[in-house]
Amino acid sequence: MEAAQTYGRKKNATAVAYVKRGKGMIRINGHPLELLEPEILRFKVYEAILIVGEDKFAGLDIRVRVKGGGHTSQVYAIRQAIAKGIVAFYQKFVDEASKKEIKDILVAYDRSLLVADPRRCEPKKFGGPGARARFQKSYR
């Protein structure tokens, strides 16, 4: 069974992509990609597919499980998981040259497609309403 499993992360959202040979089906949590909400962010996921070229995805089935985070974080985690998944699949089962070509295209377009963003939410401290802001000072 030719399959590759990769993950994508953004803030608290984690997406796991399972890529295998098939008919070009892409499903997210069991639903087709066309039904992904919010609609505006759907194109962010299509980006990963369109820049590489739909012909590369034609013979692959991709199943993505995603949980945690909000809508935007989940979409960014999904696109990263899909991009990393196709690179891993090509490295494992096709050839190194085509994998390098795909990887170069993706990195040239947007590095966050392959490299996770390390930024996290900073914890709140005492003496203020948030991580950095302090309570207003009063003399009376």
Side-chain angles (χ1 to χ4, degrees), residues 15-117:
V16 179
Y18 188 70
V19 185
K20 59 179 182 153
R21 291 220 187 270
K23 304 187 205 78
M25 174 189 72
I26 299 175
R27 290 190 162 276
I28 288 141
N29 286 347
H31 300 288
L33 182 56
E34 295 80 53
L35 300 178
L36 184 70
E37 290 295 323
E39 193 178 337
I40 295 156
L41 290 171
R42 193 179 303 157
F43 294 102
K44 277 296 201 191
V45 178
Y46 279 126
E47 268 178 10
I49 299 156
L50 297 172
I51 35 181
V52 171
E54 290 184 46
D55 54 312
K56 302 264 197 300
F57 284 86
L60 302 176
D61 280 354
I62 303 174
R63 285 196 165 81
V64 184
R65 294 190 314 273
V66 63
K67 61 173 188 251
H71 294 298
T72 308
S73 295
Q74 284 195 349
V75 166
Y76 276 88
I78 290 165
R79 76 199 281 258
Q80 189 181 63
I82 289 173
K84 283 167 78 173
I86 191 155
V87 169
F89 187 87
Y90 269 71
Q91 181 180 17
K92 231 169 157 184
F93 305 111
V94 187
D95 63 335
E96 197 65 32
S98 56
K99 171 243 167 182
K100 179 116 179 64
E101 182 191 331
I102 290 170
K103 197 171 178 179
D104 290 343
I105 293 167
L106 291 169
V107 170
Y109 181 76
D110 185 359
R111 192 163 177 266
S112 71
L113 280 167
L114 294 177
V115 183
D117 187 351

Side-chain angles (χ1 to χ4, degrees), residues 8-14 80 116-123:
R9 281 205 179 108
K10 173 79 172 159
K11 291 184 177 176
N12 285 331
T14 307
Q80 189 181 63
D117 187 351
R119 294 177 297 177
R120 291 290 173 269
C121 189
E122 192 177 337

